[in-house]
Amino acid sequence: MLNAKACSQLLDGNLTDHKKYISGTCRGFYITVSPMKNGTYNLQISAHSDNDPGNAALRNFVESRKNVTKQIQSVNVYNNTVTIVLKGVAFLNKLPAHINEAVMPIIDYLTQNGYASGCMQCGTQNAQIGCYDINGVHHYMCSECAGKVEGALFDRKQEILAQKSKLIPGIVGALLGSLIGCVAYFIIWQFGYIAAIAGLITAVCAFEGYRMLGGVVDKKGVFACVLVMIFAVFFANKLVWAYDVYAELKDFDISFFDCYRSINNIITEFNLTEDYYVSLVMAYGLTVLGSVRNIINAFKSSTGSYKVKKMTE
């Protein structure tokens, strides 16, 4: 992520850039920085104190920092860990200053108030601590806690795989949800555009509709939702073309439903077949662009997929 010069400017220059994440210690406190797919950064600090049970005082301080530091998007403080979600930056060379301004006041508070650092899960300082990638977020933990986390994720995976959705009600829910995406497509089309946001809306609403009526989105639910989305995009594209034709021909005593039923004949008669299918292909392409991440995440969730890997420091 960062070149050597930028990394030397980050949190006293003691962290190491591993390209996909940054980790190390700053004034004795274990810290990891994990870039997230939405452009934010998940930063973890290991800290606890016998004089601050449950990190209550630390929680109050960190939450107060959120109110005065524009870089901080959200914070969570646990018994042994501070988790900070930092907003993204336009240029990576700005990242060190971005992080320093948000984090160094917290580091100063920790050092001034006698906090210690260890396993981010149990707080121990008496075991070998390693950096683990857990579903894309990096944590410093002892091997025992890493094993417990992996075991819990495995058990959760078995629970997810045991859940079965109700296919027919789920498909009905996905169809109803996808109609919202069709409405978004229609509205955007009226401004002369085909936008990826319509595909994103279609995906979110289709999955949510399936979940509401089908119970859960399992693997067959994911495939069902994708098929519904394919149908919804085809329907939406046909709908907007039929409406455009109707707007041009309504003075000739033709109804919208006549236009919709006869759209294939109409576009052939007016030599618009190529334009029609180009718009359909563009609609599918932008739908993929807007929804692919949601589809992948839904599939991973439906299989209980997880990752626990010890990183090489």
Side-chain angles (χ1 to χ4, degrees):
M1 288 189 295
L2 300 178
N3 58 35
K5 180 180 178 181
C7 201
S8 69
Q9 298 169 346
L10 176 63
L11 299 178
D12 290 348
N14 292 323
L15 275 65
T16 301
D17 186 343
H18 300 279
K19 302 307 178 185
K20 293 186 177 180
Y21 70 102
I22 298 171
S23 67
T25 59
C26 177
R27 303 183 189 178
F29 294 94
Y30 289 114
I31 296 176
T32 64
V33 182
S34 305
M36 309 307 291
K37 292 180 179 179
N38 61 2
T40 63
Y41 293 87
N42 186 295
L43 187 142
Q44 308 253 16
I45 307 172
S46 168
H48 66 274
S49 172
D50 292 338
N51 297 321
D52 183 16
N55 277 343
L58 178 57
R59 178 178 295 105
N60 291 335
F61 177 78
V62 173
E63 289 180 349
S64 72
R65 292 300 307 168
K66 179 186 174 183
N67 297 326
V68 298
T69 308
K70 62 182 181 180
Q71 291 90 340
I72 297 177
Q73 180 170 302
S74 63
V75 298
N76 282 293
V77 180
Y78 306 97
N79 289 343
N80 301 292
T81 310
V82 177
T83 298
I84 303 171
V85 176
L86 295 171
K87 298 174 183 177
V89 292
F91 303 100
L92 279 179
N93 63 349
K94 303 292 185 182
L95 185 59
H98 186 75
I99 294 176
N100 290 346
E101 185 174 344
V103 176
M104 284 310 297
I106 299 173
I107 299 296
D108 289 339
Y109 178 89
L110 295 174
T111 55
Q112 292 166 9
N113 290 278
Y115 286 80
S117 191
C119 172
M120 290 181 173
Q121 191 74 10
C122 69
T124 184
Q125 298 171 267
N126 299 319
Q128 186 173 1
I129 307 297
C131 186
Y132 291 82
D133 178 351
I134 301 176
N135 292 337
V137 179
H138 295 81
H139 311 255
Y140 275 103
M141 295 191 300
C142 63
S143 57
E144 182 177 352
C145 284
K148 290 179 179 178
V149 169
E150 186 168 13
L153 290 172
F154 177 81
D155 291 342
R156 176 58 180 160
K157 178 178 180 178
Q158 302 313 304
E159 291 176 8
I160 290 173
L161 292 176
Q163 296 175 342
K164 303 298 179 184
S165 69
K166 294 175 284 187
L167 181 60
I168 301 304
I171 291 175
V172 172
L175 285 168
L176 293 174
S178 68
L179 290 177
I180 300 175
C182 292
V183 171
Y185 185 94
F186 181 85
I187 293 172
I188 294 169
W189 179 275
Q190 302 314 305
F191 291 95
Y193 299 102
I194 304 175
I197 186 65
L200 174 61
I201 293 171
T202 303
V204 171
C205 294
F207 282 116
E208 189 58 32
Y210 190 98
R211 182 178 292 106
M212 289 176 67
L213 298 187
V216 295
V217 181
D218 53 8
K219 284 192 289 186
K220 67 176 180 287
V222 174
F223 289 117
C225 287
V226 171
L227 291 175
V228 166
M229 289 173 59
I230 292 172
F231 167 78
V233 172
F234 181 85
F235 171 74
N237 188 70
K238 186 176 180 180
L239 185 71
V240 297
W241 271 80
Y243 183 82
D244 283 355
V245 170
Y246 168 71
E248 293 293 328
L249 302 180
K250 62 183 178 180
D251 293 336
F252 296 92
D253 197 27
I254 186 171
S255 72
F256 168 77
F257 295 103
D258 290 333
C259 293
Y260 183 83
R261 285 195 301 268
S262 306
I263 189 65
N264 290 333
N265 294 331
I266 293 171
I267 63 174
T268 300
E269 182 177 346
F270 288 93
N271 296 318
L272 295 172
T273 303
E274 182 178 351
D275 292 338
Y276 177 84
Y277 285 105
V278 166
S279 72
L280 179 60
V281 170
M282 288 179 62
Y284 277 127
L286 288 170
T287 297
V288 171
L289 181 65
S291 64
V292 64
R293 183 176 296 172
N294 290 72
I295 294 171
I296 292 172
N297 289 341
F299 184 78
K300 287 181 177 180
S301 297
S302 73
T303 61
S305 175
Y306 67 88
K307 177 183 180 181
V308 177
K309 178 182 178 182
K310 185 174 184 180
M311 311 306 292
T312 301
E313 291 292 310

